[in-house]
Amino acid sequence: QVQLVESGGGLVQAGGSLRLSCASSVSIFSTYAMGWYRQAPGKQRELVARVTRGGVTTYADSVKDRFTISRDNVKNTVYLQMNSLKPEDTATYYCAKEDVGMVYWGEGTLVTVSS
Protein backbone atom coordinates (compact mmCIF):
# COMPACT_ATOMS: atom_id res chain seq x y z
CA GLN A 1 0.00 0.00 0.00
CA VAL A 2 2.66 2.50 1.05
CA GLN A 3 5.51 3.11 -1.37
CA LEU A 4 8.26 5.65 -0.83
CA VAL A 5 10.54 6.56 -3.73
CA GLU A 6 13.67 8.61 -3.09
CA SER A 7 15.49 10.56 -5.78
CA GLY A 8 18.10 13.27 -6.12
CA GLY A 9 21.19 11.47 -4.93
CA GLY A 10 24.44 11.62 -6.80
CA LEU A 11 28.07 12.63 -6.76
CA VAL A 12 29.01 16.13 -5.62
CA GLN A 13 32.15 17.89 -4.49
CA ALA A 14 32.62 19.01 -0.92
CA GLY A 15 30.85 22.30 -0.35
CA GLY A 16 28.20 21.54 -2.95
CA SER A 17 24.47 21.01 -2.57
CA LEU A 18 21.89 18.36 -3.31
CA ARG A 19 18.12 18.23 -2.94
CA LEU A 20 16.64 14.85 -2.12
CA SER A 21 12.99 14.05 -2.76
CA CYS A 22 10.77 11.37 -1.28
CA ALA A 23 7.49 10.76 -3.09
CA SER A 24 4.83 8.86 -1.18
CA SER A 25 2.14 6.80 -2.88
CA VAL A 26 -0.31 7.78 -0.13
CA SER A 27 -1.22 11.01 1.59
CA ILE A 28 1.27 12.31 4.14
CA PHE A 29 -0.97 15.05 5.51
CA SER A 30 -1.98 13.10 8.62
CA THR A 31 1.24 11.11 8.95
CA TYR A 32 2.73 11.37 12.42
CA ALA A 33 6.18 12.16 11.06
CA MET A 34 8.31 12.03 7.94
CA GLY A 35 12.03 11.65 8.22
CA TRP A 36 15.34 11.14 6.50
CA TYR A 37 17.88 8.63 7.75
CA ARG A 38 21.26 7.66 6.38
CA GLN A 39 23.60 4.72 6.58
CA ALA A 40 27.26 4.73 5.66
CA PRO A 41 29.18 1.51 4.97
CA GLY A 42 30.02 -0.25 8.22
CA LYS A 43 27.86 2.07 10.31
CA GLN A 44 24.37 1.95 11.75
CA ARG A 45 21.47 3.83 10.26
CA GLU A 46 21.07 7.23 11.91
CA LEU A 47 18.49 9.98 11.99
CA VAL A 48 19.33 12.96 9.78
CA ALA A 49 16.18 15.05 9.90
CA ARG A 50 12.56 14.62 10.90
CA VAL A 51 9.38 16.68 10.75
CA THR A 52 6.20 15.85 12.66
CA ARG A 53 2.60 16.36 11.66
CA GLY A 54 2.61 19.53 13.74
CA GLY A 55 5.68 20.90 12.00
CA VAL A 56 8.24 20.20 14.72
CA THR A 57 11.64 19.51 13.18
CA THR A 58 14.57 17.55 14.52
CA TYR A 59 18.09 17.46 13.10
CA ALA A 60 21.19 15.51 13.88
CA ASP A 61 23.82 17.78 15.39
CA SER A 62 26.15 16.95 12.52
CA VAL A 63 23.78 18.46 9.92
CA LYS A 64 22.25 21.38 11.80
CA ASP A 65 22.53 24.68 9.91
CA ARG A 66 23.35 22.78 6.72
CA PHE A 67 20.32 20.57 5.99
CA THR A 68 16.65 21.51 5.85
CA ILE A 69 13.70 19.14 5.77
CA SER A 70 10.44 20.30 4.23
CA ARG A 71 7.09 18.80 3.31
CA ASP A 72 4.65 19.37 0.47
CA ASN A 73 1.31 17.88 1.44
CA VAL A 74 -0.20 18.57 -1.99
CA LYS A 75 2.48 16.58 -3.81
CA ASN A 76 2.82 14.06 -0.97
CA THR A 77 6.54 14.65 -1.09
CA VAL A 78 9.21 15.32 1.51
CA TYR A 79 12.46 17.05 0.65
CA LEU A 80 15.90 17.28 2.17
CA GLN A 81 17.92 20.27 1.07
CA MET A 82 21.58 19.57 1.76
CA ASN A 83 24.06 22.42 1.61
CA SER A 84 27.76 22.68 2.40
CA LEU A 85 28.15 18.95 1.94
CA LYS A 86 31.09 17.21 3.53
CA PRO A 87 32.75 13.88 2.68
CA GLU A 88 31.39 12.48 5.95
CA ASP A 89 27.87 13.01 4.59
CA THR A 90 28.50 10.19 2.13
CA ALA A 91 25.86 7.53 2.73
CA THR A 92 22.69 5.98 1.44
CA TYR A 93 19.79 8.19 2.44
CA TYR A 94 16.45 6.62 3.30
CA CYS A 95 13.04 8.20 3.56
CA ALA A 96 10.77 7.07 6.39
CA LYS A 97 7.05 7.47 6.96
CA GLU A 98 6.23 7.13 10.64
CA ASP A 99 2.76 6.30 11.91
CA VAL A 100 1.59 4.97 15.23
CA GLY A 101 2.71 1.35 15.39
CA MET A 102 4.55 1.20 12.08
CA VAL A 103 7.33 2.70 9.99
CA TYR A 104 7.65 2.52 6.22
CA TRP A 105 10.98 2.81 4.41
CA GLY A 106 12.08 3.72 0.93
CA GLU A 107 14.85 1.83 -0.85
CA GLY A 108 17.32 4.67 -0.50
CA THR A 109 19.32 7.00 -2.70
CA LEU A 110 23.11 7.18 -2.66
CA VAL A 111 24.89 10.43 -1.89
CA THR A 112 28.63 10.58 -2.48
CA VAL A 113 30.61 13.67 -1.51
CA SER A 114 34.14 13.86 -2.86
CA SER A 115 36.97 15.92 -1.42
Side-chain angles (χ1 to χ4, degrees):
Q1 174 76 333
V2 178
Q3 185 176 18
L4 304 174
V5 180
E6 302 100 330
S7 62
L11 174 64
V12 297
Q13 294 184 6
S17 299
L18 281 176
R19 180 180 171 88
L20 305 184
S21 298
C22 170
S24 173
S25 63
V26 298
S27 174
I28 65 171
F29 179 76
S30 59
T31 297
Y32 179 75
M34 298 292 295
W36 286 96
Y37 295 73
R38 68 186 181 188
Q39 186 168 25
K43 297 184 178 180
Q44 290 216 334
R45 188 172 300 185
E46 64 174 349
L47 172 69
V48 177
R50 182 175 181 263
V51 58
T52 71
R53 181 173 57 207
V56 178
T57 57
T58 302
Y59 295 94
D61 288 340
S62 60
V63 307
K64 282 185 176 178
D65 301 321
R66 297 190 299 120
F67 292 10
T68 303
I69 187 170
S70 61
R71 181 181 60 209
D72 187 330
N73 291 327
V74 175
K75 296 181 178 180
N76 292 321
T77 300
V78 175
Y79 304 94
L80 184 67
Q81 179 65 47
M82 306 186 294
N83 299 324
S84 302
L85 284 162
K86 305 175 181 179
E88 48 263 46
D89 294 319
T90 296
T92 299
Y93 285 71
Y94 298 90
C95 177
K97 183 179 185 292
E98 305 174 22
D99 293 307
V100 177
M102 61 190 76
V103 179
Y104 302 92
W105 296 94
E107 293 187 355
T109 184
L110 179 63
V111 173
T112 303
V113 184
S114 65
S115 59

PDB file of all heavy atoms in Angstrom, residues 21-56:
ATOM      1  N   SER A  21      14.445  14.083  -2.769  1.00  0.00           N
ATOM      2  CA  SER A  21      12.991  14.048  -2.762  1.00  0.00           C
ATOM      3  C   SER A  21      12.510  12.662  -2.361  1.00  0.00           C
ATOM      4  O   SER A  21      13.138  11.661  -2.688  1.00  0.00           O
ATOM      5  CB  SER A  21      12.426  14.398  -4.144  1.00  0.00           C
ATOM      6  OG  SER A  21      12.786  15.701  -4.537  1.00  0.00           O
ATOM      7  N   CYS A  22      11.406  12.623  -1.669  1.00  0.00           N
ATOM      8  CA  CYS A  22      10.770  11.367  -1.282  1.00  0.00           C
ATOM      9  C   CYS A  22       9.299  11.472  -1.627  1.00  0.00           C
ATOM     10  O   CYS A  22       8.555  12.221  -0.975  1.00  0.00           O
ATOM     11  CB  CYS A  22      10.960  11.103   0.208  1.00  0.00           C
ATOM     12  SG  CYS A  22       9.984   9.722   0.851  1.00  0.00           S
ATOM     13  N   ALA A  23       8.884  10.737  -2.641  1.00  0.00           N
ATOM     14  CA  ALA A  23       7.494  10.758  -3.086  1.00  0.00           C
ATOM     15  C   ALA A  23       6.738   9.585  -2.478  1.00  0.00           C
ATOM     16  O   ALA A  23       7.144   8.429  -2.631  1.00  0.00           O
ATOM     17  CB  ALA A  23       7.426  10.704  -4.604  1.00  0.00           C
ATOM     18  N   SER A  24       5.651   9.883  -1.810  1.00  0.00           N
ATOM     19  CA  SER A  24       4.826   8.864  -1.176  1.00  0.00           C
ATOM     20  C   SER A  24       3.631   8.521  -2.052  1.00  0.00           C
ATOM     21  O   SER A  24       3.021   9.400  -2.655  1.00  0.00           O
ATOM     22  CB  SER A  24       4.348   9.346   0.192  1.00  0.00           C
ATOM     23  OG  SER A  24       3.417   8.442   0.760  1.00  0.00           O
ATOM     24  N   SER A  25       3.287   7.243  -2.095  1.00  0.00           N
ATOM     25  CA  SER A  25       2.138   6.800  -2.876  1.00  0.00           C
ATOM     26  C   SER A  25       0.816   7.085  -2.174  1.00  0.00           C
ATOM     27  O   SER A  25      -0.248   6.957  -2.783  1.00  0.00           O
ATOM     28  CB  SER A  25       2.246   5.298  -3.169  1.00  0.00           C
ATOM     29  OG  SER A  25       2.210   4.543  -1.970  1.00  0.00           O
ATOM     30  N   VAL A  26       0.882   7.457  -0.904  1.00  0.00           N
ATOM     31  CA  VAL A  26      -0.308   7.775  -0.132  1.00  0.00           C
ATOM     32  C   VAL A  26      -0.145   9.153   0.490  1.00  0.00           C
ATOM     33  O   VAL A  26       0.953   9.706   0.549  1.00  0.00           O
ATOM     34  CB  VAL A  26      -0.590   6.735   0.971  1.00  0.00           C
ATOM     35  CG1 VAL A  26      -0.834   5.366   0.362  1.00  0.00           C
ATOM     36  CG2 VAL A  26       0.567   6.679   1.953  1.00  0.00           C
ATOM     37  N   SER A  27      -1.241   9.692   0.976  1.00  0.00           N
ATOM     38  CA  SER A  27      -1.220  11.011   1.591  1.00  0.00           C
ATOM     39  C   SER A  27      -0.304  11.037   2.807  1.00  0.00           C
ATOM     40  O   SER A  27      -0.246  10.085   3.581  1.00  0.00           O
ATOM     41  CB  SER A  27      -2.634  11.418   2.002  1.00  0.00           C
ATOM     42  OG  SER A  27      -2.627  12.633   2.715  1.00  0.00           O
ATOM     43  N   ILE A  28       0.409  12.137   2.968  1.00  0.00           N
ATOM     44  CA  ILE A  28       1.270  12.311   4.137  1.00  0.00           C
ATOM     45  C   ILE A  28       0.728  13.388   5.067  1.00  0.00           C
ATOM     46  O   ILE A  28       1.355  13.698   6.080  1.00  0.00           O
ATOM     47  CB  ILE A  28       2.723  12.659   3.734  1.00  0.00           C
ATOM     48  CG1 ILE A  28       2.775  14.028   3.029  1.00  0.00           C
ATOM     49  CG2 ILE A  28       3.317  11.577   2.848  1.00  0.00           C
ATOM     50  CD1 ILE A  28       4.179  14.547   2.805  1.00  0.00           C
ATOM     51  N   PHE A  29      -0.415  13.945   4.739  1.00  0.00           N
ATOM     52  CA  PHE A  29      -0.972  15.051   5.509  1.00  0.00           C
ATOM     53  C   PHE A  29      -1.155  14.689   6.983  1.00  0.00           C
ATOM     54  O   PHE A  29      -0.831  15.483   7.865  1.00  0.00           O
ATOM     55  CB  PHE A  29      -2.302  15.497   4.903  1.00  0.00           C
ATOM     56  CG  PHE A  29      -2.965  16.615   5.659  1.00  0.00           C
ATOM     57  CD1 PHE A  29      -2.503  17.914   5.553  1.00  0.00           C
ATOM     58  CD2 PHE A  29      -4.054  16.364   6.483  1.00  0.00           C
ATOM     59  CE1 PHE A  29      -3.102  18.950   6.249  1.00  0.00           C
ATOM     60  CE2 PHE A  29      -4.667  17.387   7.181  1.00  0.00           C
ATOM     61  CZ  PHE A  29      -4.189  18.688   7.066  1.00  0.00           C
ATOM     62  N   SER A  30      -1.700  13.507   7.247  1.00  0.00           N
ATOM     63  CA  SER A  30      -1.980  13.100   8.621  1.00  0.00           C
ATOM     64  C   SER A  30      -0.924  12.167   9.202  1.00  0.00           C
ATOM     65  O   SER A  30      -1.105  11.643  10.296  1.00  0.00           O
ATOM     66  CB  SER A  30      -3.349  12.426   8.704  1.00  0.00           C
ATOM     67  OG  SER A  30      -3.413  11.285   7.877  1.00  0.00           O
ATOM     68  N   THR A  31       0.166  11.967   8.465  1.00  0.00           N
ATOM     69  CA  THR A  31       1.242  11.110   8.949  1.00  0.00           C
ATOM     70  C   THR A  31       1.877  11.711  10.198  1.00  0.00           C
ATOM     71  O   THR A  31       2.110  12.926  10.258  1.00  0.00           O
ATOM     72  CB  THR A  31       2.312  10.931   7.861  1.00  0.00           C
ATOM     73  OG1 THR A  31       1.733  10.278   6.738  1.00  0.00           O
ATOM     74  CG2 THR A  31       3.484  10.115   8.370  1.00  0.00           C
ATOM     75  N   TYR A  32       2.166  10.879  11.174  1.00  0.00           N
ATOM     76  CA  TYR A  32       2.734  11.370  12.425  1.00  0.00           C
ATOM     77  C   TYR A  32       4.048  12.106  12.184  1.00  0.00           C
ATOM     78  O   TYR A  32       4.280  13.184  12.736  1.00  0.00           O
ATOM     79  CB  TYR A  32       2.947  10.223  13.417  1.00  0.00           C
ATOM     80  CG  TYR A  32       3.552  10.691  14.721  1.00  0.00           C
ATOM     81  CD1 TYR A  32       2.782  11.368  15.656  1.00  0.00           C
ATOM     82  CD2 TYR A  32       4.896  10.470  15.000  1.00  0.00           C
ATOM     83  CE1 TYR A  32       3.331  11.820  16.837  1.00  0.00           C
ATOM     84  CE2 TYR A  32       5.454  10.914  16.190  1.00  0.00           C
ATOM     85  CZ  TYR A  32       4.667  11.587  17.105  1.00  0.00           C
ATOM     86  OH  TYR A  32       5.223  12.033  18.278  1.00  0.00           O
ATOM     87  N   ALA A  33       4.910  11.519  11.359  1.00  0.00           N
ATOM     88  CA  ALA A  33       6.182  12.164  11.065  1.00  0.00           C
ATOM     89  C   ALA A  33       6.770  11.603   9.775  1.00  0.00           C
ATOM     90  O   ALA A  33       6.538  10.452   9.418  1.00  0.00           O
ATOM     91  CB  ALA A  33       7.173  11.979  12.215  1.00  0.00           C
ATOM     92  N   MET A  34       7.531  12.441   9.096  1.00  0.00           N
ATOM     93  CA  MET A  34       8.314  12.032   7.944  1.00  0.00           C
ATOM     94  C   MET A  34       9.765  12.340   8.252  1.00  0.00           C
ATOM     95  O   MET A  34      10.067  13.382   8.844  1.00  0.00           O
ATOM     96  CB  MET A  34       7.886  12.771   6.680  1.00  0.00           C
ATOM     97  CG  MET A  34       6.446  12.513   6.249  1.00  0.00           C
ATOM     98  SD  MET A  34       6.178  10.805   5.680  1.00  0.00           S
ATOM     99  CE  MET A  34       7.217  10.758   4.218  1.00  0.00           C
ATOM    100  N   GLY A  35      10.642  11.444   7.877  1.00  0.00           N
ATOM    101  CA  GLY A  35      12.035  11.654   8.218  1.00  0.00           C
ATOM    102  C   GLY A  35      13.003  11.148   7.173  1.00  0.00           C
ATOM    103  O   GLY A  35      12.636  10.396   6.263  1.00  0.00           O
ATOM    104  N   TRP A  36      14.224  11.600   7.320  1.00  0.00           N
ATOM    105  CA  TRP A  36      15.337  11.141   6.499  1.00  0.00           C
ATOM    106  C   TRP A  36      16.384  10.511   7.414  1.00  0.00           C
ATOM    107  O   TRP A  36      16.756  11.093   8.438  1.00  0.00           O
ATOM    108  CB  TRP A  36      15.982  12.285   5.719  1.00  0.00           C
ATOM    109  CG  TRP A  36      15.169  12.770   4.561  1.00  0.00           C
ATOM    110  CD1 TRP A  36      14.309  13.820   4.528  1.00  0.00           C
ATOM    111  CD2 TRP A  36      15.166  12.212   3.244  1.00  0.00           C
ATOM    112  NE1 TRP A  36      13.766  13.965   3.283  1.00  0.00           N
ATOM    113  CE2 TRP A  36      14.269  12.987   2.471  1.00  0.00           C
ATOM    114  CE3 TRP A  36      15.824  11.139   2.641  1.00  0.00           C
ATOM    115  CZ2 TRP A  36      14.019  12.720   1.129  1.00  0.00           C
ATOM    116  CZ3 TRP A  36      15.576  10.874   1.307  1.00  0.00           C
ATOM    117  CH2 TRP A  36      14.684  11.655   0.570  1.00  0.00           C
ATOM    118  N   TYR A  37      16.839   9.344   7.037  1.00  0.00           N
ATOM    119  CA  TYR A  37      17.881   8.634   7.747  1.00  0.00           C
ATOM    120  C   TYR A  37      18.990   8.302   6.761  1.00  0.00           C
ATOM    121  O   TYR A  37      18.776   8.281   5.561  1.00  0.00           O
ATOM    122  CB  TYR A  37      17.337   7.346   8.376  1.00  0.00           C
ATOM    123  CG  TYR A  37      16.294   7.574   9.455  1.00  0.00           C
ATOM    124  CD1 TYR A  37      15.002   7.979   9.129  1.00  0.00           C
ATOM    125  CD2 TYR A  37      16.606   7.378  10.799  1.00  0.00           C
ATOM    126  CE1 TYR A  37      14.049   8.195  10.112  1.00  0.00           C
ATOM    127  CE2 TYR A  37      15.658   7.587  11.787  1.00  0.00           C
ATOM    128  CZ  TYR A  37      14.387   7.991  11.437  1.00  0.00           C
ATOM    129  OH  TYR A  37      13.444   8.199  12.414  1.00  0.00           O
ATOM    130  N   ARG A  38      20.170   8.028   7.269  1.00  0.00           N
ATOM    131  CA  ARG A  38      21.259   7.662   6.383  1.00  0.00           C
ATOM    132  C   ARG A  38      22.092   6.553   7.001  1.00  0.00           C
ATOM    133  O   ARG A  38      22.136   6.388   8.219  1.00  0.00           O
ATOM    134  CB  ARG A  38      22.147   8.862   6.060  1.00  0.00           C
ATOM    135  CG  ARG A  38      22.959   9.400   7.239  1.00  0.00           C
ATOM    136  CD  ARG A  38      23.692  10.677   6.840  1.00  0.00           C
ATOM    137  NE  ARG A  38      24.500  11.206   7.928  1.00  0.00           N
ATOM    138  CZ  ARG A  38      25.121  12.372   7.902  1.00  0.00           C
ATOM    139  NH1 ARG A  38      25.039  13.147   6.812  1.00  0.00           N
ATOM    140  NH2 ARG A  38      25.841  12.773   8.944  1.00  0.00           N
ATOM    141  N   GLN A  39      22.746   5.801   6.138  1.00  0.00           N
ATOM    142  CA  GLN A  39      23.600   4.717   6.576  1.00  0.00           C
ATOM    143  C   GLN A  39      24.845   4.672   5.705  1.00  0.00           C
ATOM    144  O   GLN A  39      24.752   4.505   4.488  1.00  0.00           O
ATOM    145  CB  GLN A  39      22.865   3.381   6.519  1.00  0.00           C
ATOM    146  CG  GLN A  39      23.653   2.221   7.092  1.00  0.00           C
ATOM    147  CD  GLN A  39      22.798   0.982   7.282  1.00  0.00           C
ATOM    148  OE1 GLN A  39      21.788   0.809   6.602  1.00  0.00           O
ATOM    149  NE2 GLN A  39      23.199   0.132   8.204  1.00  0.00           N
ATOM    150  N   ALA A  40      25.988   4.833   6.338  1.00  0.00           N
ATOM    151  CA  ALA A  40      27.261   4.733   5.658  1.00  0.00           C
ATOM    152  C   ALA A  40      27.775   3.306   5.796  1.00  0.00           C
ATOM    153  O   ALA A  40      27.400   2.590   6.730  1.00  0.00           O
ATOM    154  CB  ALA A  40      28.264   5.723   6.251  1.00  0.00           C
ATOM    155  N   PRO A  41      28.643   2.869   4.887  1.00  0.00           N
ATOM    156  CA  PRO A  41      29.179   1.511   4.971  1.00  0.00           C
ATOM    157  C   PRO A  41      29.826   1.238   6.320  1.00  0.00           C
ATOM    158  O   PRO A  41      30.633   2.027   6.806  1.00  0.00           O
ATOM    159  CB  PRO A  41      30.210   1.479   3.843  1.00  0.00           C
ATOM    160  CG  PRO A  41      29.710   2.471   2.853  1.00  0.00           C
ATOM    161  CD  PRO A  41      29.131   3.583   3.689  1.00  0.00           C
ATOM    162  N   GLY A  42      29.456   0.127   6.946  1.00  0.00           N
ATOM    163  CA  GLY A  42      30.021  -0.246   8.219  1.00  0.00           C
ATOM    164  C   GLY A  42      29.442   0.474   9.420  1.00  0.00           C
ATOM    165  O   GLY A  42      29.902   0.247  10.547  1.00  0.00           O
ATOM    166  N   LYS A  43      28.461   1.333   9.214  1.00  0.00           N
ATOM    167  CA  LYS A  43      27.855   2.073  10.307  1.00  0.00           C
ATOM    168  C   LYS A  43      26.366   1.784  10.402  1.00  0.00           C
ATOM    169  O   LYS A  43      25.753   1.279   9.464  1.00  0.00           O
ATOM    170  CB  LYS A  43      28.085   3.580  10.133  1.00  0.00           C
ATOM    171  CG  LYS A  43      29.542   4.007  10.170  1.00  0.00           C
ATOM    172  CD  LYS A  43      29.665   5.508  10.083  1.00  0.00           C
ATOM    173  CE  LYS A  43      31.109   5.955  10.158  1.00  0.00           C
ATOM    174  NZ  LYS A  43      31.228   7.435  10.060  1.00  0.00           N
ATOM    175  N   GLN A  44      25.800   2.127  11.548  1.00  0.00           N
ATOM    176  CA  GLN A  44      24.370   1.948  11.752  1.00  0.00           C
ATOM    177  C   GLN A  44      23.581   3.088  11.126  1.00  0.00           C
ATOM    178  O   GLN A  44      24.094   4.194  10.939  1.00  0.00           O
ATOM    179  CB  GLN A  44      24.048   1.854  13.245  1.00  0.00           C
ATOM    180  CG  GLN A  44      24.522   0.581  13.918  1.00  0.00           C
ATOM    181  CD  GLN A  44      23.551   0.102  14.974  1.00  0.00           C
ATOM    182  OE1 GLN A  44      22.806   0.895  15.549  1.00  0.00           O
ATOM    183  NE2 GLN A  44      23.540  -1.191  15.218  1.00  0.00           N
ATOM    184  N   ARG A  45      22.341   2.811  10.793  1.00  0.00           N
ATOM    185  CA  ARG A  45      21.466   3.834  10.264  1.00  0.00           C
ATOM    186  C   ARG A  45      21.200   4.884  11.345  1.00  0.00           C
ATOM    187  O   ARG A  45      20.956   4.548  12.506  1.00  0.00           O
ATOM    188  CB  ARG A  45      20.160   3.207   9.788  1.00  0.00           C
ATOM    189  CG  ARG A  45      19.252   4.160   9.032  1.00  0.00           C
ATOM    190  CD  ARG A  45      18.067   3.414   8.420  1.00  0.00           C
ATOM    191  NE  ARG A  45      18.501   2.394   7.479  1.00  0.00           N
ATOM    192  CZ  ARG A  45      17.673   1.673   6.737  1.00  0.00           C
ATOM    193  NH1 ARG A  45      16.364   1.875   6.801  1.00  0.00           N
ATOM    194  NH2 ARG A  45      18.161   0.751   5.919  1.00  0.00           N
ATOM    195  N   GLU A  46      21.248   6.156  10.956  1.00  0.00           N
ATOM    196  CA  GLU A  46      21.067   7.227  11.911  1.00  0.00           C
ATOM    197  C   GLU A  46      20.074   8.259  11.398  1.00  0.00           C
ATOM    198  O   GLU A  46      19.913   8.449  10.189  1.00  0.00           O
ATOM    199  CB  GLU A  46      22.405   7.922  12.215  1.00  0.00           C
ATOM    200  CG  GLU A  46      23.014   8.633  11.012  1.00  0.00           C
ATOM    201  CD  GLU A  46      24.258   9.429  11.347  1.00  0.00           C
ATOM    202  OE1 GLU A  46      24.542   9.615  12.541  1.00  0.00           O
ATOM    203  OE2 GLU A  46      24.953   9.870  10.408  1.00  0.00           O
ATOM    204  N   LEU A  47      19.426   8.916  12.330  1.00  0.00           N
ATOM    205  CA  LEU A  47      18.494   9.983  11.988  1.00  0.00           C
ATOM    206  C   LEU A  47      19.248  11.185  11.455  1.00  0.00           C
ATOM    207  O   LEU A  47      20.237  11.618  12.046  1.00  0.00           O
ATOM    208  CB  LEU A  47      17.675  10.389  13.209  1.00  0.00           C
ATOM    209  CG  LEU A  47      16.791  11.628  13.046  1.00  0.00           C
ATOM    210  CD1 LEU A  47      15.636  11.330  12.095  1.00  0.00           C
ATOM    211  CD2 LEU A  47      16.262  12.099  14.390  1.00  0.00           C
ATOM    212  N   VAL A  48      18.770  11.735  10.354  1.00  0.00           N
ATOM    213  CA  VAL A  48      19.329  12.956   9.784  1.00  0.00           C
ATOM    214  C   VAL A  48      18.404  14.132  10.066  1.00  0.00           C
ATOM    215  O   VAL A  48      18.828  15.165  10.595  1.00  0.00           O
ATOM    216  CB  VAL A  48      19.558  12.822   8.267  1.00  0.00           C
ATOM    217  CG1 VAL A  48      20.087  14.137   7.687  1.00  0.00           C
ATOM    218  CG2 VAL A  48      20.528  11.687   7.973  1.00  0.00           C
ATOM    219  N   ALA A  49      17.147  13.991   9.705  1.00  0.00           N
ATOM    220  CA  ALA A  49      16.175  15.049   9.899  1.00  0.00           C
ATOM    221  C   ALA A  49      14.782  14.444   9.977  1.00  0.00           C
ATOM    222  O   ALA A  49      14.512  13.403   9.392  1.00  0.00           O
ATOM    223  CB  ALA A  49      16.240  16.080   8.774  1.00  0.00           C
ATOM    224  N   ARG A  50      13.901  15.132  10.684  1.00  0.00           N
ATOM    225  CA  ARG A  50      12.555  14.620  10.902  1.00  0.00           C
ATOM    226  C   ARG A  50      11.606  15.791  11.085  1.00  0.00           C
ATOM    227  O   ARG A  50      11.966  16.796  11.692  1.00  0.00           O
ATOM    228  CB  ARG A  50      12.549  13.728  12.143  1.00  0.00           C
ATOM    229  CG  ARG A  50      11.243  13.053  12.510  1.00  0.00           C
ATOM    230  CD  ARG A  50      11.511  12.127  13.686  1.00  0.00           C
ATOM    231  NE  ARG A  50      10.337  11.392  14.135  1.00  0.00           N
ATOM    232  CZ  ARG A  50       9.565  11.758  15.151  1.00  0.00           C
ATOM    233  NH1 ARG A  50       9.831  12.868  15.826  1.00  0.00           N
ATOM    234  NH2 ARG A  50       8.528  11.015  15.497  1.00  0.00           N
ATOM    235  N   VAL A  51      10.401  15.662  10.557  1.00  0.00           N
ATOM    236  CA  VAL A  51       9.380  16.676  10.748  1.00  0.00           C
ATOM    237  C   VAL A  51       8.077  15.989  11.126  1.00  0.00           C
ATOM    238  O   VAL A  51       7.653  15.028  10.481  1.00  0.00           O
ATOM    239  CB  VAL A  51       9.204  17.574   9.496  1.00  0.00           C
ATOM    240  CG1 VAL A  51       8.832  16.750   8.267  1.00  0.00           C
ATOM    241  CG2 VAL A  51       8.164  18.654   9.758  1.00  0.00           C
ATOM    242  N   THR A  52       7.443  16.449  12.189  1.00  0.00           N
ATOM    243  CA  THR A  52       6.202  15.853  12.664  1.00  0.00           C
ATOM    244  C   THR A  52       5.004  16.460  11.966  1.00  0.00           C
ATOM    245  O   THR A  52       5.102  17.448  11.235  1.00  0.00           O
ATOM    246  CB  THR A  52       6.041  16.031  14.179  1.00  0.00           C
ATOM    247  OG1 THR A  52       5.778  17.416  14.470  1.00  0.00           O
ATOM    248  CG2 THR A  52       7.284  15.577  14.920  1.00  0.00           C
ATOM    249  N   ARG A  53       3.857  15.870  12.218  1.00  0.00           N
ATOM    250  CA  ARG A  53       2.603  16.362  11.665  1.00  0.00           C
ATOM    251  C   ARG A  53       2.364  17.811  12.063  1.00  0.00           C
ATOM    252  O   ARG A  53       1.808  18.588  11.282  1.00  0.00           O
ATOM    253  CB  ARG A  53       1.457  15.470  12.156  1.00  0.00           C
ATOM    254  CG  ARG A  53       0.082  15.828  11.648  1.00  0.00           C
ATOM    255  CD  ARG A  53      -0.905  14.765  12.082  1.00  0.00           C
ATOM    256  NE  ARG A  53      -0.911  14.608  13.529  1.00  0.00           N
ATOM    257  CZ  ARG A  53      -1.237  13.492  14.157  1.00  0.00           C
ATOM    258  NH1 ARG A  53      -1.575  12.411  13.458  1.00  0.00           N
ATOM    259  NH2 ARG A  53      -1.217  13.445  15.476  1.00  0.00           N
ATOM    260  N   GLY A  54       2.791  18.174  13.256  1.00  0.00           N
ATOM    261  CA  GLY A  54       2.615  19.526  13.744  1.00  0.00           C
ATOM    262  C   GLY A  54       3.697  20.492  13.311  1.00  0.00           C
ATOM    263  O   GLY A  54       3.663  21.665  13.708  1.00  0.00           O
ATOM    264  N   GLY A  55       4.652  20.024  12.517  1.00  0.00           N
ATOM    265  CA  GLY A  55       5.680  20.902  12.002  1.00  0.00           C
ATOM    266  C   GLY A  55       6.931  21.008  12.851  1.00  0.00           C
ATOM    267  O   GLY A  55       7.800  21.844  12.569  1.00  0.00           O
ATOM    268  N   VAL A  56       7.048  20.184  13.885  1.00  0.00           N
ATOM    269  CA  VAL A  56       8.241  20.200  14.720  1.00  0.00           C
ATOM    270  C   VAL A  56       9.365  19.457  14.010  1.00  0.00           C
ATOM    271  O   VAL A  56       9.193  18.312  13.599  1.00  0.00           O
ATOM    272  CB  VAL A  56       7.975  19.566  16.088  1.00  0.00           C
ATOM    273  CG1 VAL A  56       9.247  19.556  16.927  1.00  0.00           C
ATOM    274  CG2 VAL A  56       6.870  20.312  16.807  1.00  0.00           C
TER     275      VAL A  56
END
